Amino acid sequence: ALLRADVRQIPIAERSCAAVLVLFTAFGYFPDQDNQHTLQGLLRLLKPQGWLVIDLPNPCHVRATLVKESQRAMADGSLLLESRWLHDAYVCKRSRWHNAEGWQEREERVRLYEASEMAQMVHDSGGVIGSIESSLRGPQYDDHRQVFWIQPQCAAT
């Protein structure tokens, strides 16, 4: 089943999922405490042998290849201007575009978690990392990602 909900308040019964997928950098948008709470909630959804897969950017790769400014044409012909910067452990992005209401702007930031930081957060949340891959396509690929395969602690004992 597919569910759309606020990940901080998931309306699903505990221990009801064989797998939970958090893909394409959909984790890390909240303060660390809320991210920790979110991780605990996701782990509570898993059946004892279930898997939580969290796909995050590789922080080293992001820092080395960050494109500070870009622009592109949108489908409606308008121009999207984006600027990116690093601030502490976050990568930040400001998007600006022009539409019928004039110039619009949105900012977002996502936490760049080092593997050791995620490992500690997973442990503190009652989980165990089975592996960390560099791609969703399989271990033979390196897409400069951190794909965490996580199980509840009860599954590892």
Side-chain angles (χ1 to χ4, degrees):
L2 181 61
L3 172 70
R4 182 177 177 186
D6 185 328
V7 72
R8 294 168 293 184
Q9 299 173 345
I10 304 168
I12 300 176
E14 290 188 13
R15 305 270 180 237
S16 61
C17 299
V20 174
L21 308 176
V22 182
L23 304 177
F24 311 116
T25 316
F27 183 86
Y29 284 89
F30 309 125
D32 284 341
Q33 183 177 342
D34 289 347
N35 287 331
Q36 177 87 47
H37 177 76
T38 297
L39 183 58
Q40 290 167 344
L42 293 170
L43 283 165
R44 279 195 299 272
L45 295 176
L46 296 176
K47 293 178 179 179
Q49 299 298 320
W51 287 98
L52 169 60
V53 179
I54 298 181
D55 167 34
L56 296 176
N58 179 310
C60 292
H61 181 73
V62 170
R63 288 184 194 102
T65 63
L66 185 69
V67 175
K68 295 195 187 281
E69 293 186 3
S70 63
Q71 60 183 16
R72 60 187 159 116
M74 303 299 289
D76 65 0
S78 64
L79 188 62
L80 174 64
L81 307 171
E82 295 178 315
S83 58
R84 296 165 200 82
W85 65 96
L86 298 169
H87 179 73
D88 297 329
Y90 292 87
V91 62
C92 307
K93 181 171 78 171
R94 178 179 300 122
S95 301
R96 294 190 60 203
W97 64 97
H98 193 271
N99 61 20
E101 291 94 41
W103 281 100
Q104 305 293 312
E105 184 173 294
R106 180 180 73 203
E107 282 192 23
E108 61 186 76
R109 67 184 204 149
V110 65
R111 175 77 151 78
L112 295 174
Y113 282 106
E114 300 293 335
S116 60
E117 294 174 307
M118 277 299 291
Q120 187 63 55
M121 192 180 330
V122 167
H123 177 268
D124 293 348
S125 297
V128 176
I129 296 175
S131 69
I132 304 171
E133 306 294 339
S134 60
S135 174
L136 285 166
R137 297 184 295 155
Q140 69 271 31
Y141 297 97
D142 185 358
D143 292 327
H144 308 292
R145 306 294 295 171
Q146 295 182 111
V147 182
F148 294 88
W149 290 79
I150 305 165
Q151 287 192 295
Q153 258 178 351
C154 60
T157 56

